[in-house]
Amino acid sequence: MTEIMKYDVVVVGAGIAGPIVARNVAREGYSVLLVDKKPAIGAPKQCAEGINISIFERYDIPYDKRFINREIYGARIYSPSGYELEIKYKKVSGVILERKVFDKMLAFYAARSGADVLSRTEVEDVIRENGKIVGVKAKHEGEPVEIYGDIIVAADGVESTIARKAGINTYAPPHEFDSAYEYEMLIDGFDPDLIHLWFGNDVAPRGYVWVFPKDEDRANVGIGINSDNPKTAKYYLDKWLKENNIPSKKLLEINVGVVPVGGFLKELAKENVVVVGDAARQVNPMHGGGMAEAMKAGTIASKWIVKALEEENLELLKNYTTEWWEKDGKRLERVLKIRKAVEKLNDEDLDVFIEVLSGTDAEKIAEGNYTEVIKVLLKHPKVLMSARRISLLKELL
Ligand SMILES: Cc1cc2nc3c(=O)[nH]c(=O)nc-3n(C[C@H](O)[C@H](O)[C@H](O)COP(=O)(O)OP(=O)(O)OC[C@H]3O[C@@H](n4cnc5c(N)ncnc54)[C@H](O)[C@@H]3O)c2cc1C
């Protein structure tokens, strides 16, 4: 027999976006169900697990050592010919999380705030009555359940089926995604207080190779490349390991994933369905980081879900689309524009830029003052001698 449930809000997906929405809405006293198809929320991970330190305070998440693998003080960037640019802060700037614990704890905070949480619950379809979506059909531990909700939240990641089933246009061509491949492995010889990034068109077309340390001799070692590349991300990652004489027989995990790097959804809410996180492609297209963006979007979405419930007016959900596009959509569109300009850099340009910047005040770069950085580059003779480089840099200004 099919079990029937009823909630004010049903959140599909307990990655990052889902639990943030579930927690925020449950805190306001509404009934919320958070479901995930995974038997253990958080596992397997599909992530390099790096995030800025600011998220803990900003999104009211405890700074809990149970999900913090390592504190990070900056980054080292490597050019194709081996020029290095190090940006090191005196204070902790980011952390490498343990997502298997982090995601589960975010769901735990949602549960503690009053939400119900059901793992091993896969949503398969929406339920429509008189043409309107009134809930979702799922399987909980293999048994059918019908979950009715006034508002349905699609936080079901990059392959989101819920948004599509709700009639939201989620199509994007393959070049708007990156393919990622990652080993969690034993590796040494890298400063474990920094994240390490390698750029180059033969190293990682459109993307980069990363080493995100979890221990002195353990790290997430991965790569992201354009999805429409004829060669695979694994091919490039294995090639990089071989060329750098890094032994690859101590692989603790292998993670494969797709990262949306553009084409943000225009319509984030339709009738009573709201889309957040990777499902809405709310990811920074420059570096592929999506956790902070999922938290930001989740926070805006929760605000409007609560307002819509308070005022019994689902039309208010549209304000989530408007506010996100005004605050974050515009910013990410600009980042996408910059990414497209950076894509045009050849290996020689990358060498020159990283060489020039490694000789400048790293503090300026660390502050994230890109206009200053570009001005520094524009003054250098190796840049001034090339009309191409000047025009590329001007595109970035
Ligand atoms: C290899 C790789 C490395 C990355 N590294 C970083 C990084 O270092 N830093 C960073 O910020 N971002 C990184 N990202 C991106 C980041 O992982 C995502 O942006 C982030 O997880 C998005 O959160 P989300 O909640 O939107 O989706 P997800 O975290 O994908 O969560 C979606 C959840 O929905 C569940 N689900 C899906 N369909 C259903 C269904 N039908 N029914 C029930 N449950 C369902 C899934 O099981 C999953 O738990 C990386 C991505 C990849 C692939």
Side-chain angles (χ1 to χ4, degrees):
M1 214 179 76
T2 304
E3 193 184 342
I4 311 281
M5 301 181 196
K6 169 80 184 89
Y7 288 85
D8 293 325
V9 180
V10 182
V11 182
V12 185
I16 304 289
I20 294 280
V21 174
R23 180 199 66 179
N24 294 357
V25 176
R27 267 181 184 168
E28 299 302 320
Y30 293 99
S31 69
V32 180
L33 175 66
L34 171 66
V35 301
D36 202 290
K37 64 182 177 186
K38 291 176 182 167
I41 288 172
K45 69 158 198 250
Q46 281 175 307
C47 193
E49 305 178 292
I51 197 155
N52 192 285
I53 191 85
S54 62
I55 58 115
F56 295 96
E57 210 183 314
R58 189 171 299 163
Y59 302 107
D60 191 18
I61 297 166
Y63 194 72
D64 190 327
K65 296 281 176 187
R66 279 176 292 183
F67 48 69
I68 292 167
N69 261 298
R70 192 164 193 93
E71 294 180 330
I72 296 294
Y73 290 82
R76 193 177 293 159
I77 293 165
Y78 303 79
S79 82
S81 300
Y83 293 106
E84 292 181 18
L85 167 65
E86 186 174 289
I87 303 166
K88 200 165 189 170
Y89 303 85
K90 291 189 187 75
K91 286 199 287 191
V92 175
S93 60
V95 296
I96 307 302
L97 294 165
E98 184 62 43
R99 274 205 62 180
K100 286 177 200 133
V101 184
F102 187 63
D103 290 20
K104 199 196 279 186
M105 291 298 279
L106 290 185
F108 165 60
Y109 303 141
R112 215 188 221 169
S113 302
D116 283 348
V117 179
L118 289 179
S119 55
R120 213 176 178 193
T121 305
E122 179 158 11
V123 172
E124 293 174 333
D125 208 344
V126 293
I127 305 170
R128 285 179 196 271
E129 276 173 13
N130 303 324
K132 285 201 168 149
I133 294 172
V134 291
V136 293
K137 273 187 199 158
K139 285 238 166 75
H140 171 62
E141 298 206 75
E143 296 298 324
V145 286
E146 285 186 358
I147 312 162
Y148 290 84
D150 295 333
I151 295 172
I152 312 295
V153 179
D156 49 346
V158 65
E159 285 155 29
S160 174
T161 44
I162 305 309
R164 204 170 53 240
K165 297 237 180 215
I168 294 174
N169 181 9
T170 58
Y171 173 76
H175 73 264
E176 289 185 1
F177 296 89
D178 274 358
S179 296
Y181 205 88
E182 179 181 77
Y183 300 124
E184 185 174 326
M185 63 185 286
L186 263 66
I187 183 168
D188 48 27
F190 300 101
D191 183 341
D193 290 338
L194 301 174
I195 57 163
H196 300 262
L197 309 171
W198 285 260
F199 291 88
N201 291 303
D202 287 335
V203 175
R206 191 170 81 181
Y208 55 91
V209 165
W210 65 78
V211 168
F212 282 16
K214 294 179 97 168
D215 270 314
E216 256 89 61
D217 55 353
R218 179 172 65 111
N220 289 323
V221 181
I223 192 170
I225 64 161
N226 56 316
S227 270
D228 49 358
N229 195 295
K231 293 206 172 83
T232 63
K234 176 178 163 46
Y235 163 84
Y236 281 101
L237 182 59
D238 289 344
K239 176 165 131 349
W240 180 84
L241 289 170
K242 207 164 168 199
E243 283 169 2
N244 288 280
N245 297 317
I246 300 167
S248 57
K249 289 246 164 73
K250 301 205 191 252
L251 309 180
L252 307 168
E253 269 194 47
I254 300 176
N255 306 124
V256 188
V258 175
V259 186
V261 287
F264 318 105
L265 284 202
K266 293 283 169 266
E267 195 179 27
L268 299 170
K270 185 171 180 162
E271 291 167 24
N272 61 340
V273 177
V274 169
V275 195
V276 270
D278 274 18
R281 297 196 218 108
Q282 290 159 326
V283 173
N284 184 308
M286 190 73 159
H287 51 63
M291 286 191 279
E293 298 299 339
M295 290 175 191
K296 271 181 212 164
T299 305
I300 302 173
S302 331
K303 185 176 93 184
W304 289 108
I305 289 170
V306 168
K307 285 215 160 89
L309 291 170
E310 267 170 10
E311 296 183 26
E312 294 180 19
N313 178 4
L314 292 175
E315 283 290 305
L316 291 175
L317 294 177
K318 287 191 181 135
N319 292 341
Y320 158 51
T321 302
T322 317
E323 186 175 338
W324 185 84
W325 269 101
E326 265 167 22
K327 282 190 178 151
D328 294 306
K330 253 193 218 153
R331 172 180 54 83
L332 290 178
E333 290 269 25
R334 162 128 183 89
V335 176
L336 180 60
K337 206 174 138 218
I338 294 174
R339 214 266 337 273
K340 284 184 177 159
V342 169
E343 255 178 73
K344 292 182 202 152
L345 301 179
N346 61 29
D347 281 3
E348 208 194 324
D349 299 327
L350 285 166
D351 276 332
V352 167
F353 291 170
I354 291 174
E355 183 196 1
V356 172
L357 291 175
S358 60
T360 64
D361 180 3
E363 279 293 316
K364 262 196 192 131
I365 305 167
E367 282 162 14
N369 193 338
Y370 298 111
T371 313
E372 280 305 307
V373 171
I374 291 164
K375 280 185 189 155
V376 169
L377 286 172
L378 278 169
K379 279 186 201 141
H380 198 274
K382 279 192 179 168
V383 175
L384 286 173
M385 271 155 41
S386 157
R388 216 182 116 261
R389 283 180 195 144
I390 293 174
S391 88
L392 275 173
L393 285 169
K394 285 195 170 155
E395 268 184 58
L396 299 178
L397 270 175

